[in-house]
Amino acid sequence: MAAGEAPGAERLSQLAENLLYRLQENFQALTERITLRMEEMGERISDLEKHVADLMAEAGIENTDDGLRH
């Protein structure tokens, strides 16, 4: 402990460090969950686009959006 530092300062510093570490872990886990959900949503959108394009083809509707044809 440095001269003039309160006896609880080291403990407070350790608690703050632990809190920041836990926050970082929680943020990282949340980021991973959000990324996974975004990837799943992207896959669903791609499937939906394909199904719409298939339905349009079955109905004989010309598809002017080449982005729907995968």
Side-chain angles (χ1 to χ4, degrees):
M1 177 168 35
E5 213 176 271
E10 185 177 327
R11 177 73 178 138
L12 183 59
S13 175
Q14 184 180 26
L15 288 172
E17 189 175 324
N18 288 340
L19 176 62
L20 289 174
Y21 179 75
R22 288 196 331 251
L23 285 171
Q24 181 180 1
E25 283 185 327
N26 289 340
F27 182 76
Q28 195 168 9
L30 182 60
T31 300
E32 290 171 5
R33 286 188 2 227
I34 289 172
T35 300
L36 179 61
R37 294 258 174 110
M38 287 176 61
E39 289 171 357
E40 290 172 351
M41 188 58 69
E43 291 173 9
R44 289 180 179 178
I45 290 171
S46 293
D47 288 344
L48 181 59
E49 288 175 337
K50 183 186 179 313
H51 286 108
V52 168
D54 291 346
L55 288 171
M56 289 174 71
E58 285 179 25
I61 300 170
E62 186 175 323
N63 184 359
T64 58
D65 184 4
D66 289 335
L68 291 177
R69 294 184 183 178
H70 292 283

